[in-house]
Amino acid sequence: MPILLDLRHLPPPEPMERILDAVQALRPGEYIEALTPFWPAPLLPILESQGCAWRRTPSASGDHARTTIFLREDAIQKAAA
């Protein structure tokens, strides 16, 4: 089940802080869909160091970034299925 975080209206670094808070509560099988005002490049290595994987999906309008964040174990299990 996705956890939708629409963070487009927040100034930096609030989107990053809220995503990291949500990652702490993430359970197996859950994932986060984060909408941010721009591509969160500084966040990505932090996510990886916390055992998460991510996927970038371009927005149709081009005015924001969409990042899907899930636990690395879920990604491994999905790839093996």
Side-chain angles (χ1 to χ4, degrees):
M1 175 161 212
I3 299 166
L4 179 60
L5 299 176
D6 187 350
L7 308 167
R8 292 177 284 182
H9 62 288
L10 297 175
E14 288 185 55
M16 185 167 107
E17 292 170 349
R18 292 197 185 188
I19 291 169
L20 290 173
D21 287 345
V23 163
Q24 295 302 315
L26 202 59
R27 296 181 177 165
E30 293 180 332
Y31 60 97
I32 299 168
E33 290 284 346
L35 307 177
T36 52
F38 47 85
W39 181 234
L43 175 65
L44 304 177
I46 297 170
L47 291 173
E48 292 170 358
S49 72
Q50 293 186 358
C52 294
W54 53 270
R55 179 180 59 229
R56 179 181 185 180
T57 305
S59 70
S61 62
D63 65 346
H64 65 277
R66 174 183 291 266
T67 308
T68 305
I69 303 161
F70 40 96
L71 297 174
R72 187 176 301 132
E73 294 123 16
D74 288 345
I76 292 169
Q77 290 175 353
K78 187 174 182 178

